[in-house]
Amino acid sequence: MAAGDIPETDTPLFLATKFGCVEIAEEILKRYPQAVEHIDDKGRNILHIAIKFRRLSIFYHVTKGEVPVKRLVRKVDNEGNSILHAVGMKLKDDMPEKLRGPALELRDEMLWFERVKLITPAHFLEHRNDTKLTAKQFFSKENKELRTSATEWLKRTSEGCTVVAVLIATVAFAAAYTVPGGPNSQTGTPVLVNKPFFAIFTVTDVLSLSFALTSVVIFLSIVSSPFRLEDFKESLPNKLMFGFTFLFLSVSMMMFAFGSTVLLMIQKRESWTKVILYALSFLPVGIFALSYFPLYISLAETYKYLLKKLKGVIPWKLFSKVLSIPTYLFCCCCRNLCTNSLELPRSQPT
């Protein structure tokens, strides 16, 4: 943001929030707690600013309070926008670009909407601003272009991954009928069937085929999805992550199968030319896995927020008490069995 775009009425707290100076903002709130009550010339408070500029640390720091927060969450600006409307006011041109797809950006926006919705009073969920839009309608309108880009990106990614998964499944299926060492000319059984690495090759090849076909089904379900706005929060990222997981597992199993084949061929003293050819055929698949691994890590970040949310919902104390009941019964049974086994038999009367 340019210096000329900042209103002169901004306080140091608002400036620190806009530019992401978390330490300065927290120190101001620590020394001057009444600073959270300030309103700028557009009628926005600190929560409006923190949400608009996506300052998560400052947002959590402000919402830790009790009495001030009850007033802050009910504040609307001069245009009738609540703090939930502020989720759709992200300055797209000023946000730093990240190396991830638009679907993940839309997922983060949906998570922001969910965070703010948790602290928004129930009667403000249907509050309409001056343009007669609720917060959800305003969010959908402002992210319409991002949703279109996310839909196209998901389709392209899923179609590309489907092609790779089908290729892996084809290779794994063909490898099951062209086993290393070849079949016996008289019995038809594989020559190296008694070798230990042959069993590893068989198991990993079957797993590679199964994982590849599973990933194909998942990616096809993404392509045929209706791509509703709510699907970008959990459903579509989960499907994409599971698809990548099975695809990476398929690649890994193919790697083990390839390694077993190499070891079997070396034991049989075959030509090293075949080993090099197998390695070169596996190289494109390995490059694909490495290129998409950062995207897989970005997808895994979705579960950090979901796990925190799950910890607050599940009554862990009650759950631990319920689990302790069968453990206690099991210990009592074991103690009784040990006591009966150690008890000496009584002498019979003569």
Side-chain angles (χ1 to χ4, degrees):
M1 176 181 291
D5 297 335
I6 303 173
E8 296 180 357
T9 57
D10 278 352
T11 62
L13 177 60
F14 279 22
L15 292 175
T17 303
K18 289 181 178 181
F19 288 105
C21 302
V22 180
E23 296 81 4
I24 297 177
E26 292 180 354
E27 187 66 22
I28 294 174
L29 291 174
K30 181 180 178 181
R31 293 179 178 269
Y32 306 100
Q34 65 275 14
V36 296
E37 304 286 351
H38 180 74
I39 305 298
D40 66 1
D41 57 345
K42 295 182 180 180
R44 301 174 300 181
N45 58 25
I46 183 63
L47 282 181
H48 285 89
I49 302 300
I51 294 170
K52 179 179 180 179
F53 287 86
R54 301 300 186 264
R55 307 306 181 189
L56 186 59
S57 300
I58 301 175
F59 173 78
Y60 280 143
H61 187 80
V62 173
T63 53
K64 287 180 181 178
E66 296 180 358
V67 178
V69 174
K70 293 180 180 179
R71 294 195 298 268
L72 294 176
V73 297
R74 290 174 169 83
K75 177 64 180 176
V76 295
D77 61 10
N78 297 339
E79 297 178 357
N81 296 313
S82 64
I83 59 171
L84 199 56
H85 284 88
V87 182
M89 299 179 183
K90 186 186 71 170
L91 301 179
K92 301 179 178 60
D93 297 334
D94 295 334
M95 292 292 116
E97 295 184 359
K98 298 180 181 180
L99 297 177
R100 51 183 182 175
L104 303 182
E105 294 289 343
L106 184 56
R107 176 207 64 184
D108 291 345
E109 296 301 303
M110 296 292 294
L111 292 179
W112 259 105
F113 191 88
E114 186 71 18
R115 292 188 188 100
V116 180
K117 185 178 179 181
L118 292 176
I119 65 171
T120 303
H123 61 277
F124 269 85
L125 298 180
E126 298 299 326
H127 171 76
R128 297 178 182 271
N129 58 8
D130 293 348
T131 58
K132 307 302 180 181
L133 295 176
T134 62
K136 188 174 182 180
Q137 293 171 346
F138 183 74
F139 179 86
S140 178
K141 177 184 176 182
E142 293 296 319
N143 290 278
K144 185 177 180 180
E145 184 178 351
L146 181 60
R147 179 183 174 183
T148 303
S149 302
T151 301
E152 295 176 356
W153 180 82
L154 275 175
K155 287 183 178 180
R156 290 197 309 268
T157 304
S158 300
E159 290 172 355
C161 292
T162 301
V163 173
V164 175
V166 170
L167 177 62
I168 295 174
T170 304
V171 173
F173 186 81
Y177 291 94
T178 56
V179 294
N184 192 318
S185 58
Q186 297 179 354
T187 61
T189 59
V191 177
L192 304 176
V193 68
N194 295 323
K195 298 291 183 179
F197 287 106
F198 188 85
I200 298 177
F201 163 78
T202 305
V203 173
T204 53
D205 186 70
V206 172
L207 289 177
S208 178
L209 176 61
S210 302
F211 289 149
L213 293 179
T214 304
S215 64
V216 169
V217 173
I218 295 175
F219 287 127
L220 288 178
S221 67
I222 295 177
V223 175
S224 60
S225 175
F227 295 99
R228 297 172 300 180
L229 185 61
E230 293 79 7
D231 295 338
F232 287 93
K233 184 175 66 174
E234 293 182 8
S235 177
L236 292 176
N238 289 346
K239 287 182 180 180
L240 190 61
M241 184 174 182
F242 287 139
F244 276 124
T245 300
F246 283 107
L247 185 58
F248 289 143
L249 288 175
S250 178
V251 172
S252 301
M253 292 300 103
M254 180 179 285
M255 183 182 298
F256 283 112
F258 167 73
S260 303
T261 304
V262 171
L263 293 175
L264 288 171
M265 294 176 66
I266 291 176
Q267 290 179 359
K268 203 175 178 230
R269 297 181 181 179
E270 292 283 350
S271 173
W272 280 93
T273 306
K274 295 183 179 180
V275 177
I276 296 174
L277 290 177
Y278 276 117
L280 292 177
S281 63
F282 180 76
L283 185 62
V285 181
I287 294 175
F288 169 82
L290 292 176
S291 62
Y292 276 90
F293 190 73
L295 177 61
Y296 182 80
I297 298 299
S298 299
L299 287 170
E301 294 178 358
T302 308
Y303 295 92
K304 293 181 181 179
Y305 172 71
L306 296 178
L307 288 176
K308 290 181 180 178
K309 189 176 177 181
L310 187 63
K311 288 181 181 179
V313 173
I314 297 179
W316 293 104
K317 293 183 179 180
L318 180 62
F319 188 68
S320 61
K321 290 181 180 180
V322 173
L323 286 180
S324 63
I325 295 175
T327 305
Y328 174 76
L329 295 176
F330 177 76
C331 293
C332 291
C333 294
C334 292
R335 184 175 59 185
N336 293 333
L337 290 174
C338 293
T339 303
N340 295 333
S341 62
L342 293 176
E343 185 177 350
L344 295 176
R346 297 179 180 179
S347 59
Q348 299 292 334
T350 57

